[in-house]
Amino acid sequence: TTASFHECPNRILVVPQLVAVSHPQKVNSATKKMLALALVSAVALAPAVQHSPLAFRPVAPARSPIPTAELRLDQKIAGTVAGGAVLGNLLFPFLIVLNKLGLYDPPPLNTFTYIANNAMDAARASGEVSKWLATKYSQDVWSDLLSQYYSEGSSTDFLTRAGGVCDLHAAWCDGVIIP
């Protein structure tokens, strides 16, 4: 049998006493009244919640979302995207470790970026490129510099030799230290 709230008047005192034990500095009459009201509400609503359609009902154990070895196309795409994100985050630290071990010599990307930015500034100043296309122009110059770097056998000689990038476009290389 269940006891009604009126048969157990000491229930009101349980919660404030717990608060008084754990946080004695926070106990006041307003706290006691608020906690008593919450307890009264919980006891009064318990029978209604117990028979509610939202009440907890045991359910069958969940089945695996992938019942077979066959993956759907959306699962393959999601796995590829997630794998690419992980690989993208780990690629640069991996390249740094290879560089420290002497197994990989990265291109001078900062040098190419400075040259590409100077090229963009020179093109904007001469009116060759609009401000809306200046970033794309800079990215194209940077990409061309990187392509030339690898086509020259990982060397920056193409920048400084006669007829090279810095010879043809002196403004591009102003203030840039070339390794």
Side-chain angles (χ1 to χ4, degrees):
T1 64
T2 59
S4 71
F5 180 72
H6 298 290
E7 293 173 4
C8 299
N10 292 336
R11 285 190 190 185
I12 296 173
L13 301 176
V14 173
V15 176
Q17 287 174 354
L18 290 175
V19 172
V21 170
S22 61
H23 302 293
Q25 70 278 5
K26 293 184 179 181
V27 175
N28 58 30
S29 64
T31 304
K32 288 181 182 178
K33 288 178 186 175
M34 193 167 37
L35 292 172
L37 180 62
L39 185 60
V40 168
S41 300
V43 170
L45 293 175
V49 172
Q50 184 179 6
H51 301 292
S52 166
L54 299 176
F56 175 76
R57 305 266 190 270
V59 294
R63 293 186 329 192
S64 170
I66 305 172
T68 65
E70 256 331 284
L71 295 176
R72 295 187 321 259
L73 179 61
D74 61 336
Q75 292 170 328
K76 290 178 183 178
I77 292 172
T80 302
V81 170
V86 169
L87 180 64
N89 284 327
L90 296 177
L91 180 63
F92 289 111
F94 180 69
L95 291 177
I96 289 170
V97 168
L98 289 178
N99 183 25
K100 298 282 184 192
L101 294 174
L103 301 173
Y104 171 69
D105 187 27
L109 298 178
N110 289 340
T111 302
F112 295 159
T113 301
Y114 295 140
I115 293 172
N117 287 343
N118 286 345
M120 176 184 64
D121 293 340
R124 282 283 300 125
S126 69
E128 179 183 347
V129 176
S130 73
K131 67 179 180 181
W132 305 110
L133 299 175
T135 301
K136 174 69 171 125
Y137 179 83
S138 177
Q139 290 170 344
D140 289 344
V141 169
W142 187 88
S143 177
D144 289 343
L145 291 171
L146 191 61
S147 297
Q148 288 180 30
Y149 175 80
Y150 282 115
S151 68
E152 293 286 326
S154 299
S155 172
T156 56
D157 292 339
F158 71 95
L159 294 172
T160 56
R161 70 174 171 235
V165 173
C166 293
D167 189 35
L168 296 174
H169 308 281
W172 290 13
C173 297
D174 282 344
V176 177
I177 298 171
I178 299 173

